[in-house]
Amino acid sequence: MAIFIINKFNHTITNSNDEELCGCYNIDLVCSPTTNTDGEICYYYLIEKVSDDDYCKPIEYISLGTGDLDECGLQSTDIQSLLTDYAPKCYDIDPLYDGTCNNGQTGVPGIKVKMGPPPPKSGSGSGSGSTGGSYPSGSGSSPPPPQDVADDYMVFSMCFDSSQVSGFQESGQIGFKTGGGRYTCDAGNVLPNFCATPAPV
């Protein structure tokens, strides 16, 4: 089955090293966001390693910035109720991530996505136990659960309440945490727009 990639990733210099580090991975839309009959809009993402340079370390987690929520009267705590589902469930999703790290640095606040372990090899007898992350599965109308196919290639999806979320942030940001540190990259027109509905007057 063919996968059509829409490349929306932009490199941004936030400090002296970010230009190089932002060239380690691309984050792209696998397809345009889709809206289902349950009132959810779902975004499907591909993260792919595109550089073999030594400073391109494996990803520990990423944070998807939620943008300027003040413009539509939302707070960061509202994101938890707007996120209705995600896949795969072996990923650990934190919709209340404030951008802090244990070394005292500040990253991109938003939705933290911690990559799960690779799926068991065929015939390994993994059993049927639950592998859910920290966030409940929501409405139960999950999209097909994509899985990692290699350390440098991963796919995930997130679904949101379509009455509030649609389209993209024009000036989004994504935070990366890798074994080599953390850095921030701009990602225009790739992250969900949480202010698609105007603030009440």
Side-chain angles (χ1 to χ4, degrees):
M1 180 178 67
I3 296 179
F4 298 93
I5 304 301
I6 307 171
N7 192 335
K8 300 282 188 177
F9 192 75
N10 300 311
H11 298 166
T12 292
I13 305 173
T14 305
N15 60 49
S16 60
N17 297 319
D18 278 9
E19 181 180 25
E20 292 180 340
L21 292 170
C22 286
C24 293
Y25 292 90
N26 273 350
I27 179 164
D28 306 321
L29 289 163
V30 175
C31 58
S32 297
T34 59
T35 303
N36 60 33
T37 56
D38 293 317
E40 299 173 323
I41 183 169
C42 298
Y43 296 77
Y44 299 83
Y45 292 104
L46 165 72
I47 296 180
E48 185 176 17
K49 189 177 181 183
V50 293
S51 174
D52 293 326
D53 287 318
D54 290 341
Y55 54 77
C56 295
K57 305 299 184 183
I59 294 175
E60 296 179 11
Y61 62 81
I62 62 173
S63 54
L64 309 179
T66 47
D68 184 7
L69 301 177
D70 291 339
E71 69 180 44
C72 56
L74 291 179
Q75 298 179 345
S76 59
T77 52
D78 294 319
I79 301 301
Q80 185 171 19
S81 62
L82 295 176
L83 177 63
T84 58
D85 205 355
Y86 71 91
K89 292 297 187 286
C90 61
Y91 285 6
D92 188 14
I93 304 296
D94 180 6
L96 301 176
Y97 179 59
D98 62 3
T100 59
C101 189
N102 55 12
N103 61 5
Q105 293 180 324
T106 300
V108 177
I111 302 173
K112 180 179 178 180
V113 183
K114 186 175 182 180
M115 312 309 173
K121 295 181 180 179
S122 177
S124 63
S126 61
S128 58
S130 172
T131 58
S134 63
Y135 193 76
S137 60
S139 66
S141 57
S142 303
Q147 294 181 329
D148 296 6
V149 296
D151 290 341
D152 56 358
Y153 184 89
M154 57 196 71
V155 180
F156 65 94
S157 65
M158 292 185 180
C159 297
F160 302 91
D161 182 350
S162 62
S163 67
Q164 177 66 44
V165 182
S166 69
F168 305 104
Q169 299 174 42
E170 291 185 5
S171 303
Q173 285 192 322
I174 297 176
F176 287 82
K177 175 64 171 71
T178 72
R182 61 191 304 161
Y183 54 96
T184 299
C185 303
D186 272 8
N189 295 312
V190 68
L191 299 179
N193 180 8
F194 294 93
C195 286
T197 300
V201 179

